[in-house]
Amino acid sequence: MATPIAHYPSTFIKVIIVGAGFGGLITAIECLNKGHKAIVLEKVAEWKQLGDILSLGPNSGQILSRYSPEHIDAKLRPLCMDNDRFKIFSHAGDFITEQIVPQDPSKPMYNGHRADLHKVIFDYAVSLGIEIKMGARVTSYNEDEGKDSNAAWVKLESGEVIRGDLIVAADGLRSKAKKVVLQSHGFDIGTGEDRGAGGMWRERSSGYSVYRAWYDAEECGLSKDPLTKFLTEKDTHVGWLGQDVHFLVASLKGGKEISWVATHPIIGEGEPIDDEADGEDWMNPSPGKVEEALKLFEGWDPVCKAIVSKTPSLIDFPLITRTPLPAFVSRNGWLCLLGDSAHPFLPTSIQGASQSMEDGVVLATSLSLSYFSPHHAHLSTAERVAIGTRSYEKLRYERVIAAQQTGVKVMEQWHKKEDDDNWEEAKKKPEKVELPRDEWLLGHDAEWWCRGVWEDMRQELAGGNKVPLEKLAAGPESIEVVGQKY
């Protein structure tokens, strides 16, 4: 268990968090730890089991390591994959390379079913006394100018109004707060074909979709098939790369459960997306057909077809590309976006949930540092909150954009049309197909870093020198990586 970095006195800042996903829950926990008062509003009436495989990298594992090990690590471990390597094969079944899974108790990795991981964190938040209001659907986000505190408020579908000092919209891709934030800065977001004019909120098909499945290995006969039995003997993680398709398979809980994903091309790359009906939604995913998925694996290693053919059901999840939003925080500073509402990730980045958790740490820490800064002693709560959220935005912006690009990089290196000669080249240079494990990304300690660089960012916001890129943890040039102190 990591040692808490510092004691944070109470600020009495009231934070309204919309959305009880990973980002929303971690933000609530971090607000509690940093002396703020948080309430979480979740639109669904009761907790539901949604999704399939999800990975929390060492950068988010470090965040969790600062929480109660009895409530977090002891409960997550039995639910997660316990493997020591990831093996990569060509589509024909030729071994290319393997990557050893790093083992660091202070920066643990958790790979398991999204619902299993989420329930552990949800229950932990409840055990801390954090108020989570289920069935609370937000219909509007509002800010009142000229107030010293309680300047932000939301209205629920029930008609109830909830006031606070800050609203955190952690409610996903279709957050209504996104439009409010952008329009507060005067951005014309447009609609349909025109949405995103000038690069503000452009959504387009990536040209790819992902078949996704999770099922019981024993019930579906994997242990009885010589081709798939190896998956049931221990936790295993393997991948096959083919012509514009990649297929990843994981067995968990001692080989009892199977997860697989197959990313494949679709027609319509670059076309505008109707974000109300694109199927990119765990609450209402688009169903897939096993017989259609099997067509991807003609001529592949027969193991692949054997795994897919035993699948009882699957979904087909479209991958959408989005230009970075120009702002995560409203002009007044009392409404901010967090997680997918601010910066959605391609699954090949393996960082979506982890980055939303980093968001929560940096936001809660920035609010505390701003509130108690001696330079802000003469300011109202509303003014201190606004500086806290603006510093959060500036501290996170470059890093999340750089992290998003890792997913694009993996897609590019795995989806080039390859022939046998290229695979021989990949065996000689396995880094061409290996998952990137950049230290600047996975070795990041969000709280330690935020505390170290926050004063520089405060000075920038006050009109001082711009914080250099190497201090923003947004690439291999990061000072944090090379071991220097801020």
Side-chain angles (χ1 to χ4, degrees):
M1 179 182 178
T3 303
I5 286 180
H7 169 69
Y8 295 86
S10 295
T11 64
F12 306 106
I13 294 172
K14 183 177 180 180
V15 182
I16 303 167
I17 300 165
V18 183
F22 286 92
L25 291 174
I26 294 300
T27 302
I29 295 168
E30 287 296 315
C31 281
L32 179 68
N33 291 343
K34 303 301 186 287
H36 321 311
K37 180 175 176 57
I39 178 173
V40 181
L41 307 177
E42 172 53 53
K43 65 182 178 182
V44 301
E46 58 183 6
W47 183 88
K48 293 184 178 181
Q49 182 160 334
L50 301 170
D52 48 57
I53 192 75
L54 181 135
S55 297
L56 299 178
N59 50 320
S60 54
Q62 175 142 45
I63 295 168
L64 296 176
S65 75
R66 294 194 169 113
Y67 301 161
S68 165
E70 293 81 11
H71 286 87
I72 299 295
D73 189 70
K75 293 186 177 181
L76 287 176
R77 281 289 160 216
L79 302 172
C80 291
M81 188 161 47
D82 182 18
N83 65 306
D84 62 357
R85 63 198 64 220
F86 169 50
K87 293 185 177 182
I88 301 177
F89 297 85
S90 75
H91 64 283
D94 295 327
F95 175 76
I96 300 174
T97 187
E98 66 179 14
Q99 291 179 267
I100 303 302
V101 177
Q103 306 289 337
D104 183 348
S106 69
K107 298 178 180 179
M109 296 175 60
Y110 299 105
N111 299 289
H113 196 290
R114 179 192 184 280
D116 289 343
L117 275 59
H118 181 261
K119 189 65 164 61
V120 169
I121 297 174
F122 183 94
D123 288 346
Y124 179 56
V126 171
S127 76
L128 295 174
I130 293 170
E131 182 180 0
I132 302 177
K133 194 177 181 71
M134 304 297 289
R137 185 179 292 271
V138 173
T139 58
S140 69
Y141 297 81
N142 308 274
E143 298 172 293
D144 291 337
E145 296 188 34
K147 293 179 68 71
D148 290 338
S149 62
N150 279 332
W153 55 281
V154 297
K155 188 174 183 179
L156 306 185
E157 194 172 56
S158 64
E160 181 182 359
V161 170
I162 299 177
R163 282 192 170 273
D165 298 297
L166 171 64
I167 306 166
V168 179
D171 48 346
L173 294 168
R174 293 172 181 79
S175 175
K176 294 180 179 179
K178 188 156 48 176
K179 183 181 296 185
V180 178
V181 167
L182 297 184
Q183 289 181 333
S184 76
H185 292 281
F187 294 127
D188 180 8
I189 60 175
T191 57
E193 287 277 357
D194 297 326
R195 186 175 61 227
M200 314 302 181
W201 196 8
R202 182 169 295 140
E203 300 179 347
R204 297 287 186 268
S205 170
S206 68
Y208 292 90
S209 191
V210 186
Y211 288 125
R212 309 184 67 107
W214 186 291
Y215 59 86
D216 185 284
E218 187 64 30
E219 287 181 2
C220 295
L222 268 74
S223 63
K224 298 176 183 178
D225 187 337
L227 289 174
T228 57
K229 185 179 180 181
F230 75 99
L231 290 168
T232 68
E233 295 172 337
K234 63 177 182 178
D235 288 1
T236 304
H237 193 196
V238 291
W240 287 263
L241 308 182
Q243 293 189 1
D244 217 18
V245 173
H246 76 260
F247 182 52
L248 305 180
V249 181
S251 61
L252 305 89
K253 302 178 184 178
K256 294 179 181 178
E257 297 183 8
I258 298 293
S259 168
W260 66 259
V261 297
T263 301
H264 60 98
I266 57 176
I267 297 173
E269 180 178 2
E271 291 184 0
I273 293 298
D274 176 1
D275 66 350
E276 296 299 324
D278 58 25
E280 191 190 27
D281 184 358
W282 287 118
M283 298 293 291
N284 188 30
S286 299
K289 296 181 179 180
V290 172
E291 57 269 29
E292 291 298 319
L294 283 169
K295 293 178 183 178
L296 296 176
F297 301 105
E298 293 295 338
W300 282 50
D301 183 344
V303 173
C304 301
K305 268 198 166 183
I307 294 168
V308 175
S309 66
K310 295 173 174 57
T311 303
S313 64
L314 53 84
I315 63 172
D316 195 9
F317 207 85
L319 299 183
I320 311 302
T321 60
R322 295 171 171 87
T323 52
L325 296 180
F328 298 166
V329 175
S330 66
R331 182 177 60 84
N332 287 322
W334 308 317
L335 168 62
C336 71
L337 307 174
L338 184 142
D340 281 349
S341 70
H343 46 72
F345 278 72
L346 290 173
T348 44
S349 70
I350 323 178
Q351 276 289 303
S354 293
Q355 289 301 314
S356 72
M357 292 164 68
E358 285 189 10
D359 283 352
V361 172
V362 173
L363 176 59
T365 304
S366 294
L367 288 173
S368 180
L369 295 176
S370 176
Y371 190 86
F372 289 109
S373 171
H375 301 280
H376 300 165
H378 63 291
L379 300 179
S380 67
T381 295
E383 290 169 318
R384 299 183 200 192
V385 167
I387 295 173
T389 58
R390 288 168 187 146
S391 58
Y392 150 77
E393 177 185 54
K394 296 279 285 185
L395 289 170
R396 292 294 295 154
Y397 197 85
E398 296 297 336
R399 176 169 170 80
V400 295
I401 289 177
Q404 284 174 318
Q405 289 305 307
T406 64
V408 175
K409 177 183 176 182
V410 172
M411 284 288 290
E412 290 176 347
Q413 69 186 32
W414 281 2
H415 284 262
K416 293 177 180 177
K417 295 187 181 299
E418 305 284 3
D419 56 33
D420 292 339
D421 291 337
N422 293 127
W423 290 122
E424 289 303 317
E425 182 67 19
K427 292 177 185 178
K428 297 175 185 177
K429 297 180 179 180
E431 65 275 8
K432 285 189 172 183
V433 296
E434 290 178 344
L435 283 171
R437 286 180 173 152
D438 299 314
E439 182 64 19
W440 69 266
L441 183 63
L442 302 181
H444 184 62
D445 184 328
E447 185 176 358
W448 179 90
W449 167 80
C450 181
R451 289 180 62 88
V453 75
W454 189 85
E455 176 58 24
D456 288 348
M457 185 55 71
R458 183 201 66 79
Q459 292 181 30
E460 177 183 327
L461 291 171
N465 293 331
K466 186 176 179 64
V467 177
L469 183 62
E470 60 265 24
K471 282 193 173 185
L472 295 179
E477 72 283 357
S478 169
I479 291 176
E480 182 181 35
V481 169
V482 299
Q484 298 179 31
K485 297 295 183 182
Y486 292 113

